[in-house]
Amino acid sequence: MKRFDYDMAVLGGGSAGYAAARTAAGTGLKTVVVEGGAKVGGLCILRGCMPTKALLYAAEVMHLASHPEPWGIRAGKVSFDFKKVMARKNALIKNFADYRVKQLHSKRFKFIRANARFSDSHTVELQYFCSSRSSGRESPPFNRSRLTSAATITAKNFVIATGSNVASPPLPALNETGYITSDDALALKRLPKSLIVLGGGAVACEFAQFFARFGVKVTLVQRSEHVLKEFDTDAAAEVEKIFRREGIKVFTGTRLVDAKRKGKLKTVSFAHEGKTVSISAEEILFALGRVPNTASLNLKKAGVKTENGRIVANELMQTTAPHIHAAGDCTGPHEIVHIAVQQGEIAAHNIANPIAPHRMDYRLLISVVFTEPQVAFVGLTEKAAQARGIPFLAASYPFNDHGKSLIMEAKDGFVKLLAAPKSGEILGGSCVGPVGGELLHEIVTAMAKRMTVRELAAMPHYHPTLAEIWTYPAEELAARFSAS
Ligand SMILES: Cc1cc2nc3c(=O)[nH]c(=O)nc-3n(C[C@H](O)[C@H](O)[C@H](O)COP(=O)(O)OP(=O)(O)OC[C@H]3O[C@@H](n4cnc5c(N)ncnc54)[C@H](O)[C@@H]3O)c2cc1C
């Protein structure tokens, strides 16, 4: 029998990689994690979920403090200190990252700071940077110029969890003009006076509102007919309405034509409603998505197939090389952190327990956008149900007719439930509204237990809470079943 250095090697120590390593080590597998980033922590902690949400919460406080009139409160002119806003975010992120570094350096598995690439299907070459071997702790600065090759390690099994990179711009002119990415936006020392946001997904919308609420003149340019294209049109239209009310210029249904720089201003030109529109601003935020980070892994040598850079994996998270699994953004199909974690856990579980494997199931797919109001769905949207030919009944209820949201002056948005026409089982829930991402989790729980709208309507809800708004569409749908 061939001997390997490790039972399992995990490439990438982000959310998916750490989850895989923790799970594998828990089953007794001899495990190694190889992490090659300039900093340890992964996207979610360092440049994704956590820093953006820290800033968005600051924007919410700013907005509420600036608009206290409905409650009879006078606050005068509200101002802010951008350096302090960023410093609070940085301190939080440092704490989260320090904790992750500690977790990765725990004795449960070996942690190696190096970039990995396959040389055959059981061997990876390690390209080391400088590392602090004596303390076993992170030794900043992690100097990329001191890249020295190369040891190799062998493993019986692998989990590839190398994440994603910002996509390249669709227009070469954008490279010449210059732009910032979400990474750069999170490290700004001062706010630009004006900003063009290219894109209309979650990252684009969250940054657009953050900057606008801190006084930046924001224009959002989206290719599709609506922002947040995976959401139903009613949800996206609500966000667009609120953005316009808050002074964000929103252009949807556009096609980028050109970009150039003149003096201190950057100009983007795009086709919109039969005309060419040109918008100038101090900065451009490129938020047109990310691509799987797989190009440098030498995956062909390992027999791992990719499609457009994305590692092809089945519901067991197994790639085309059966002993190599993949998890997180490098495989998708949904670049969301709890899915990356679940995929990492499933990959490791299946390596340890091949005869009782776990499978990924996206029935409870959740998406939350942390704008204010938050926009969230679980399971099926109307759009997804129609596209997949799944029959459903739907009912909605608005926050402008609900006790607790009226108390909070949170009158934008609505909740919506989708139910199966025969059984009444809840197939999906959507919420555009105050703490919508939190509220949605009632429906996640209901769907996890395959509850019907009748059961949801019969569940006690304390009054007056935001959560009791779900009872209205549940009762409406339940009544339709009892009538039929
Ligand atoms: C601005 C922004 C906001 C976001 N907000 C949210 C949110 O609110 N909620 C949410 O669910 N998701 C959010 N996401 C998405 C979420 O951050 C990702 O889905 C998640 O972090 C992916 O985890 P991962 O483990 O797959 O990848 P990563 O965390 O990127 O980990 C990959 C790791 O692999 C390492 N690596 C890469 N190549 C190699 C190599 N060759 N050898 C060794 N190591 C390597 C990298 O250094 C990195 O540490 C956001 C993303 C962005 C960009």
Side-chain angles (χ1 to χ4, degrees), residues 10-18 34-53 112-117 144 161-166 182-183 186 202-203 206-207 290 293-294 296-297 327-331 334-341 343 366 368-370:
V10 183
L11 311 187
S15 303
Y18 174 66
V34 184
E35 166 54 52
K39 280 191 176 166
V40 177
L43 181 63
C44 170
I45 292 175
L46 297 172
R47 302 178 312 279
C49 330
M50 302 311 275
T52 50
K53 272 75 240 183
I112 298 178
R113 294 287 275 121
N115 250 306
R117 69 200 301 263
R144 283 188 164 269
T162 49
S164 58
N165 291 323
V166 173
S182 57
D183 294 359
L186 291 168
V203 171
E206 290 179 358
F207 272 114
R290 300 179 67 89
N293 178 19
T294 56
S296 63
L297 290 172
D329 286 8
C330 64
T331 183
H334 307 288
E335 290 76 29
I336 296 174
V337 79
H338 74 273
I339 289 187
V341 169
Q343 290 176 337
I366 307 172
V368 180
V369 184
F370 291 83

Coordinates of all heavy atoms in Angstrom, one line a residue, residues 10-18 34-53 112-117 144 161-166 182-183 186 202-203 206-207 290 293-294 296-297 327-331 334-341 343 366 368-370, ligand 1:
V10 N -5.8 20.0 2.9 CA -6.8 21.1 2.5 C -6.0 22.2 1.9 O -5.1 22.7 2.6 CB -7.6 21.6 3.8 CG1 -8.6 22.6 3.4 CG2 -8.2 20.4 4.5
L11 N -6.4 22.6 0.7 CA -5.7 23.7 0.1 C -6.5 25.0 0.3 O -7.6 25.1 -0.3 CB -5.5 23.5 -1.4 CG -4.8 22.1 -1.7 CD1 -4.5 22.0 -3.2 CD2 -3.6 21.8 -0.9
G12 N -6.1 25.9 1.1 CA -6.9 27.1 1.4 C -7.4 27.1 2.8 O -8.1 26.1 3.2
G13 N -7.1 28.1 3.6 CA -7.5 28.1 5.0 C -8.6 29.2 5.2 O -8.6 29.8 6.3
G14 N -9.5 29.4 4.3 CA -10.7 30.3 4.5 C -11.8 29.5 5.2 O -11.6 28.5 5.8
S15 N -13.0 30.0 5.0 CA -14.2 29.4 5.6 C -14.4 27.9 5.3 O -14.6 27.1 6.2 CB -15.5 30.2 5.3 OG -15.3 31.5 5.6
A16 N -14.3 27.6 4.0 CA -14.5 26.3 3.5 C -13.4 25.4 4.0 O -13.6 24.3 4.5 CB -14.6 26.2 2.0
G17 N -12.1 25.9 3.8 CA -11.0 25.1 4.2 C -10.9 24.8 5.7 O -10.6 23.6 6.1
Y18 N -11.2 25.8 6.5 CA -11.1 25.6 7.9 C -12.2 24.6 8.4 O -11.9 23.7 9.2 CB -11.3 26.9 8.7 CG -11.4 26.6 10.2 CD1 -10.3 26.1 10.9 CD2 -12.5 26.9 10.9 CE1 -10.4 25.8 12.2 CE2 -12.6 26.6 12.2 CZ -11.5 26.0 12.9 OH -11.6 25.7 14.2
V34 N -3.0 24.0 4.0 CA -2.0 24.8 3.3 C -2.6 26.1 2.9 O -3.6 26.1 2.2 CB -1.4 24.1 2.0 CG1 -0.3 24.9 1.4 CG2 -0.9 22.7 2.4
E35 N -2.1 27.2 3.5 CA -2.7 28.5 3.2 C -1.7 29.5 2.7 O -0.7 29.7 3.3 CB -3.3 29.1 4.6 CG -3.7 30.6 4.5 CD -4.6 31.0 3.4 OE1 -5.7 30.3 3.3 OE2 -4.3 31.9 2.7
G36 N -2.0 30.0 1.5 CA -1.0 30.9 0.8 C -1.3 32.3 0.7 O -0.6 33.1 0.0
G37 N -2.4 32.8 1.4 CA -2.7 34.2 1.3 C -1.7 35.1 2.0 O -1.0 34.7 2.9
A38 N -1.7 36.4 1.6 CA -0.8 37.3 2.3 C -1.2 37.5 3.8 O -0.3 37.7 4.6 CB -0.8 38.7 1.6
K39 N -2.5 37.3 4.0 CA -3.0 37.3 5.4 C -3.8 36.1 5.7 O -4.5 35.6 4.7 CB -3.8 38.6 5.7 CG -3.1 39.8 5.9 CD -4.0 40.9 6.4 CE -3.2 42.2 6.8 NZ -4.1 43.3 6.9
V40 N -3.9 35.6 6.9 CA -4.7 34.5 7.2 C -6.1 35.0 7.7 O -6.1 35.9 8.5 CB -4.0 33.6 8.3 CG1 -4.9 32.4 8.7 CG2 -2.7 33.1 7.8
G41 N -7.1 34.3 7.2 CA -8.4 34.7 7.7 C -9.5 34.3 6.7 O -10.7 34.1 7.0
G42 N -9.1 34.4 5.4 CA -10.1 34.1 4.3 C -10.9 35.4 4.0 O -10.9 36.4 4.7
L43 N -11.6 35.3 2.9 CA -12.4 36.4 2.3 C -13.4 36.9 3.3 O -13.5 38.1 3.5 CB -13.0 35.9 1.0 CG -13.8 37.0 0.3 CD1 -12.9 38.1 -0.2 CD2 -14.5 36.4 -1.0
C44 N -14.2 36.0 3.9 CA -15.3 36.5 4.7 C -14.9 37.4 5.8 O -15.4 38.5 6.0 CB -16.0 35.2 5.3 SG -17.3 35.6 6.5
I45 N -13.8 37.0 6.5 CA -13.3 37.8 7.7 C -12.5 39.0 7.2 O -12.8 40.1 7.7 CB -12.4 36.9 8.6 CG1 -13.3 35.8 9.3 CG2 -11.7 37.8 9.6 CD1 -12.5 34.9 10.1
L46 N -11.7 38.8 6.2 CA -10.7 39.9 5.9 C -11.3 41.0 4.9 O -11.1 42.1 5.1 CB -9.4 39.3 5.3 CG -8.6 38.4 6.2 CD1 -7.5 37.8 5.4 CD2 -8.0 39.2 7.4
R47 N -12.1 40.5 3.9 CA -12.5 41.4 2.9 C -13.9 41.2 2.4 O -14.2 41.7 1.3 CB -11.5 41.3 1.7 CG -10.0 41.6 2.0 CD -9.1 41.4 0.8 NE -9.4 40.2 0.1 CZ -8.9 39.0 0.4 NH1 -8.1 38.8 1.5 NH2 -9.2 37.9 -0.3
G48 N -14.7 40.5 3.1 CA -16.0 40.1 2.6 C -17.1 40.4 3.6 O -17.3 41.6 4.0
C49 N -17.8 39.4 4.1 CA -19.0 39.6 5.0 C -18.7 40.5 6.1 O -19.5 41.5 6.3 CB -19.4 38.2 5.6 SG -19.0 36.8 4.6
M50 N -17.7 40.3 6.9 CA -17.6 41.0 8.2 C -17.2 42.4 8.1 O -17.9 43.3 8.7 CB -16.6 40.2 9.1 CG -17.0 38.8 9.4 SD -18.7 38.6 9.9 CE -18.6 38.9 11.6
P51 N -16.2 42.8 7.3 CA -15.9 44.3 7.2 C -17.1 45.0 6.5 O -17.4 46.2 6.9 CB -14.6 44.3 6.3 CG -14.5 43.0 5.7 CD -15.2 42.0 6.6
T52 N -17.7 44.4 5.5 CA -18.8 45.2 4.8 C -20.0 45.4 5.8 O -20.5 46.4 5.9 CB -19.3 44.5 3.6 OG1 -19.5 43.1 3.8 CG2 -18.2 44.5 2.4
K53 N -20.3 44.3 6.6 CA -21.4 44.5 7.5 C -21.1 45.4 8.6 O -22.0 46.1 9.1 CB -21.9 43.1 8.0 CG -22.9 42.4 7.1 CD -22.3 41.9 5.9 CE -22.7 42.3 4.6 NZ -22.1 41.7 3.4
I112 N 0.3 24.9 7.4 CA 1.5 25.3 6.6 C 1.2 26.6 5.8 O 0.2 26.7 5.1 CB 2.0 24.2 5.6 CG1 2.3 22.9 6.4 CG2 3.1 24.7 4.8 CD1 2.7 21.8 5.5
R113 N 2.1 27.6 6.0 CA 1.9 28.8 5.2 C 2.7 28.7 3.9 O 3.9 28.9 3.8 CB 2.4 30.0 6.0 CG 1.7 30.3 7.2 CD 0.3 30.9 6.9 NE 0.4 32.4 6.8 CZ 0.1 33.0 5.7 NH1 -0.4 32.4 4.6 NH2 0.2 34.4 5.6
A114 N 2.0 28.4 2.8 CA 2.6 28.2 1.5 C 1.5 28.2 0.4 O 0.4 28.0 0.7 CB 3.4 26.9 1.5
N115 N 1.9 28.5 -0.8 CA 1.0 28.3 -1.9 C 1.2 26.9 -2.4 O 2.3 26.4 -2.6 CB 1.4 29.3 -3.0 CG 0.4 30.4 -3.1 OD1 -0.8 30.1 -3.3 ND2 0.8 31.6 -3.0
A116 N 0.0 26.3 -2.8 CA 0.1 24.9 -3.2 C -0.3 24.8 -4.7 O -1.1 25.5 -5.2 CB -0.9 24.1 -2.4
R117 N 0.4 23.9 -5.4 CA -0.1 23.5 -6.7 C 0.2 22.0 -6.9 O 1.2 21.5 -6.4 CB 0.5 24.4 -7.8 CG 2.0 24.2 -8.0 CD 2.6 25.3 -8.7 NE 2.1 25.6 -10.0 CZ 2.5 25.2 -11.2 NH1 3.6 24.5 -11.2 NH2 1.9 25.5 -12.3
R144 N 5.7 38.6 0.0 CA 5.5 37.8 -1.2 C 6.7 37.7 -2.0 O 6.9 36.8 -2.8 CB 4.3 38.4 -2.0 CG 3.0 38.0 -1.3 CD 1.8 38.3 -2.2 NE 0.7 37.6 -1.7 CZ 0.3 36.4 -2.2 NH1 1.0 35.8 -3.1 NH2 -0.7 35.7 -1.7
A161 N -10.0 24.3 -1.5 CA -10.9 25.4 -1.0 C -10.1 26.7 -1.2 O -9.9 27.5 -0.2 CB -11.2 25.1 0.4
T162 N -9.8 27.0 -2.4 CA -8.9 28.2 -2.7 C -9.7 29.5 -3.1 O -9.1 30.5 -3.4 CB -7.9 27.9 -3.9 OG1 -8.7 27.3 -4.9 CG2 -6.9 26.9 -3.4
G163 N -11.0 29.4 -2.9 CA -11.8 30.7 -3.0 C -11.9 31.3 -4.4 O -11.9 30.6 -5.4
S164 N -12.0 32.6 -4.4 CA -12.2 33.4 -5.6 C -11.4 34.6 -5.7 O -10.8 35.1 -4.7 CB -13.7 33.7 -5.7 OG -14.0 34.5 -4.6
N165 N -11.3 35.2 -6.9 CA -10.7 36.5 -7.2 C -11.6 37.4 -7.8 O -12.6 37.0 -8.5 CB -9.5 36.3 -8.1 CG -8.4 35.5 -7.5 OD1 -8.1 35.7 -6.3 ND2 -7.7 34.7 -8.3
V166 N -11.4 38.7 -7.7 CA -12.2 39.7 -8.5 C -12.1 39.4 -10.0 O -11.0 39.2 -10.4 CB -11.8 41.1 -8.1 CG1 -12.5 42.1 -9.0 CG2 -12.0 41.4 -6.7
S182 N -13.9 45.9 -4.3 CA -14.4 45.9 -2.9 C -13.2 45.8 -1.9 O -13.3 46.4 -0.8 CB -15.3 44.7 -2.7 OG -14.7 43.5 -3.0
D183 N -12.1 45.1 -2.3 CA -11.0 45.1 -1.4 C -10.5 46.5 -1.1 O -10.2 46.9 0.0 CB -9.8 44.3 -2.0 CG -10.1 42.9 -2.1 OD1 -11.2 42.4 -1.8 OD2 -9.2 42.1 -2.6
L186 N -12.7 48.8 1.0 CA -12.6 48.5 2.5 C -11.4 49.1 3.1 O -11.2 49.1 4.3 CB -12.7 47.0 2.7 CG -14.0 46.4 2.4 CD1 -13.9 44.9 2.4 CD2 -15.1 46.8 3.4
A202 N -25.3 41.9 -4.8 CA -25.3 42.2 -3.4 C -24.2 43.2 -3.0 O -24.4 44.2 -2.4 CB -25.2 40.9 -2.6
V203 N -22.9 42.9 -3.5 CA -21.8 43.7 -3.1 C -22.0 45.1 -3.7 O -21.7 46.1 -2.9 CB -20.5 43.1 -3.7 CG1 -19.3 44.0 -3.5 CG2 -20.2 41.7 -3.0
E206 N -24.8 46.9 -1.6 CA -24.4 47.3 -0.2 C -23.4 48.4 -0.2 O -23.6 49.4 0.6 CB -23.8 46.0 0.4 CG -24.8 44.9 0.7 CD -24.2 43.7 1.3 OE1 -22.9 43.6 1.5 OE2 -24.9 42.7 1.6
F207 N -22.4 48.4 -1.1 CA -21.5 49.5 -1.1 C -22.1 50.8 -1.6 O -21.8 51.9 -1.1 CB -20.3 49.2 -2.0 CG -19.2 48.5 -1.3 CD1 -18.8 47.2 -1.6 CD2 -18.4 49.1 -0.3 CE1 -17.8 46.5 -1.0 CE2 -17.4 48.5 0.4 CZ -17.1 47.1 0.0
R290 N -17.0 37.9 -9.1 CA -15.7 37.3 -8.8 C -15.6 36.0 -9.6 O -16.7 35.5 -10.1 CB -15.6 37.0 -7.3 CG -15.7 38.2 -6.4 CD -15.6 37.9 -5.0 NE -14.3 37.3 -4.6 CZ -13.3 38.1 -4.2 NH1 -13.4 39.4 -4.1 NH2 -12.2 37.5 -3.8
N293 N -10.8 30.9 -8.0 CA -9.4 31.0 -7.9 C -8.7 29.6 -8.1 O -8.4 28.9 -7.1 CB -8.9 31.6 -6.6 CG -7.4 31.7 -6.4 OD1 -6.7 31.7 -7.4 ND2 -7.0 31.8 -5.2
T294 N -8.6 29.2 -9.4 CA -8.2 27.9 -9.6 C -7.0 27.8 -10.7 O -6.4 26.8 -10.9 CB -9.3 27.0 -10.2 OG1 -9.9 27.6 -11.3 CG2 -10.4 26.8 -9.1
S296 N -4.0 28.7 -11.0 CA -2.6 28.4 -10.7 C -2.4 27.0 -10.0 O -1.3 26.7 -9.6 CB -1.9 29.5 -9.8 OG -2.6 29.5 -8.6
L297 N -3.5 26.2 -9.9 CA -3.4 25.0 -9.1 C -2.9 23.8 -9.9 O -2.7 22.7 -9.4 CB -4.8 24.7 -8.6 CG -5.3 25.6 -7.4 CD1 -6.7 25.3 -7.1 CD2 -4.4 25.5 -6.2
A327 N -14.6 22.7 -2.2 CA -15.6 23.4 -1.3 C -15.4 24.9 -1.5 O -14.3 25.4 -1.6 CB -15.5 22.9 0.1
G328 N -16.5 25.6 -1.4 CA -16.5 27.1 -1.3 C -16.5 27.7 -2.7 O -16.9 27.1 -3.7
D329 N -16.0 28.9 -2.7 CA -16.1 29.8 -4.0 C -15.4 29.2 -5.2 O -15.8 29.5 -6.3 CB -15.5 31.2 -3.7 CG -16.4 32.0 -2.8 OD1 -17.4 31.5 -2.3 OD2 -16.1 33.2 -2.7
C330 N -14.4 28.3 -4.9 CA -13.7 27.7 -6.1 C -14.6 26.7 -6.9 O -14.3 26.4 -8.0 CB -12.4 27.1 -5.6 SG -12.6 25.7 -4.6
T331 N -15.7 26.3 -6.2 CA -16.6 25.4 -6.9 C -18.0 25.9 -7.1 O -18.7 25.6 -8.0 CB -16.6 24.0 -6.2 OG1 -17.4 23.1 -7.0 CG2 -17.0 24.0 -4.8
H334 N -22.9 28.7 -5.4 CA -23.4 29.9 -4.7 C -22.3 30.4 -3.8 O -21.8 29.7 -3.0 CB -24.6 29.6 -3.9 CG -25.7 28.9 -4.6 ND1 -26.5 29.6 -5.6 CD2 -26.2 27.6 -4.6 CE1 -27.4 28.8 -6.1 NE2 -27.2 27.6 -5.6
E335 N -21.8 31.6 -4.1 CA -20.7 32.1 -3.3 C -21.2 32.8 -2.0 O -21.3 34.0 -1.9 CB -19.9 33.1 -4.2 CG -19.1 32.5 -5.3 CD -20.1 32.1 -6.5 OE1 -21.1 32.8 -6.7 OE2 -19.8 31.1 -7.2
I336 N -21.5 31.9 -1.1 CA -22.1 32.4 0.2 C -21.3 31.6 1.3 O -21.1 30.4 1.1 CB -23.6 32.0 0.2 CG1 -24.3 32.8 -0.9 CG2 -24.2 32.3 1.6 CD1 -25.8 32.5 -1.1
V337 N -21.1 32.3 2.4 CA -20.1 31.7 3.3 C -20.7 30.4 4.0 O -20.0 29.5 4.2 CB -19.6 32.7 4.3 CG1 -20.5 33.1 5.4 CG2 -18.2 32.2 4.9
H338 N -22.0 30.5 4.4 CA -22.4 29.3 5.1 C -22.5 28.0 4.2 O -22.3 26.9 4.7 CB -23.8 29.5 5.8 CG -25.0 29.5 4.9 ND1 -25.4 30.7 4.2 CD2 -25.8 28.5 4.5 CE1 -26.4 30.4 3.5 NE2 -26.7 29.1 3.6
I339 N -22.6 28.3 2.9 CA -22.6 27.2 2.0 C -21.1 26.7 1.8 O -20.9 25.5 1.8 CB -23.2 27.6 0.6 CG1 -24.7 27.8 0.8 CG2 -22.8 26.6 -0.5 CD1 -25.5 28.0 -0.4
A340 N -20.2 27.6 1.8 CA -18.7 27.2 1.8 C -18.4 26.3 3.0 O -17.8 25.3 2.8 CB -17.9 28.4 1.8
V341 N -18.9 26.7 4.1 CA -18.7 25.9 5.4 C -19.3 24.5 5.3 O -18.7 23.5 5.5 CB -19.2 26.7 6.6 CG1 -19.2 25.8 7.9 CG2 -18.4 28.0 6.8
Q343 N -20.2 22.9 2.6 CA -19.5 22.1 1.6 C -18.2 21.5 2.1 O -17.9 20.4 1.9 CB -19.2 22.9 0.3 CG -20.5 23.3 -0.5 CD -20.2 24.2 -1.6 OE1 -19.2 24.9 -1.7 NE2 -21.0 24.2 -2.6
I366 N -30.3 30.2 0.9 CA -30.6 31.5 1.5 C -29.8 32.6 0.9 O -28.6 32.4 0.6 CB -30.3 31.6 3.0 CG1 -31.0 30.4 3.8 CG2 -30.7 32.9 3.7 CD1 -30.5 30.3 5.2
V368 N -29.1 36.8 1.5 CA -29.4 38.1 2.2 C -28.5 39.2 1.7 O -27.3 39.0 1.6 CB -29.2 37.9 3.7 CG1 -29.5 39.2 4.5 CG2 -30.0 36.7 4.3
V369 N -29.2 40.3 1.4 CA -28.4 41.5 1.0 C -28.6 42.5 2.2 O -29.7 42.8 2.5 CB -28.9 42.1 -0.3 CG1 -28.1 43.3 -0.7 CG2 -28.9 41.0 -1.4
F370 N -27.5 43.1 2.7 CA -27.5 43.9 3.9 C -27.7 45.3 3.6 O -27.1 46.2 4.3 CB -26.3 43.6 4.8 CG -26.4 42.2 5.4 CD1 -25.9 41.1 4.6 CD2 -26.9 41.9 6.6 CE1 -26.0 39.8 5.1 CE2 -26.9 40.7 7.2 CZ -26.5 39.6 6.4
Ligands
LIG1 C1 -17.4 42.3 -0.4 C2 -18.0 40.9 -0.1 C3 -19.0 40.8 0.8 C4 -19.5 39.5 1.1 N1 -20.5 39.4 2.0 C5 -21.0 38.2 2.3 C6 -22.1 38.0 3.2 O1 -22.6 39.0 3.8 N2 -22.6 36.8 3.4 C7 -22.1 35.7 2.8 O2 -22.6 34.6 3.0 N3 -21.1 35.8 1.9 C8 -20.5 37.0 1.6 N4 -19.5 37.1 0.7 C9 -19.0 35.9 0.1 C10 -18.1 35.1 1.1 O3 -17.1 35.9 1.7 C11 -17.4 33.9 0.4 O4 -18.4 33.1 -0.2 C12 -16.6 33.0 1.3 O5 -15.8 33.8 2.1 C13 -15.8 32.0 0.5 O6 -15.1 31.2 1.4 P1 -14.0 30.2 0.8 O7 -13.4 29.4 1.9 O8 -14.5 29.5 -0.4 O9 -12.8 31.2 0.2 P2 -11.8 32.1 0.9 O10 -12.3 32.6 2.2 O11 -11.4 33.1 -0.1 O12 -10.6 31.2 1.2 C14 -9.7 30.7 0.2 C15 -8.3 30.7 0.8 O13 -7.4 29.9 0.0 C16 -6.2 30.6 0.0 N5 -5.5 30.1 -1.3 C17 -5.8 30.5 -2.5 N6 -5.0 29.9 -3.4 C18 -4.2 29.1 -2.7 C19 -3.2 28.1 -3.0 N7 -2.8 27.9 -4.3 N8 -2.6 27.5 -2.0 C20 -2.9 27.7 -0.7 N9 -3.9 28.6 -0.3 C21 -4.5 29.2 -1.3 C22 -6.5 32.0 0.1 O14 -5.4 32.8 0.5 C23 -7.7 32.1 1.0 O15 -7.3 32.2 2.3 C24 -19.0 38.4 0.4 C25 -17.9 38.5 -0.5 C26 -17.4 39.8 -0.8 C27 -16.3 39.9 -1.8

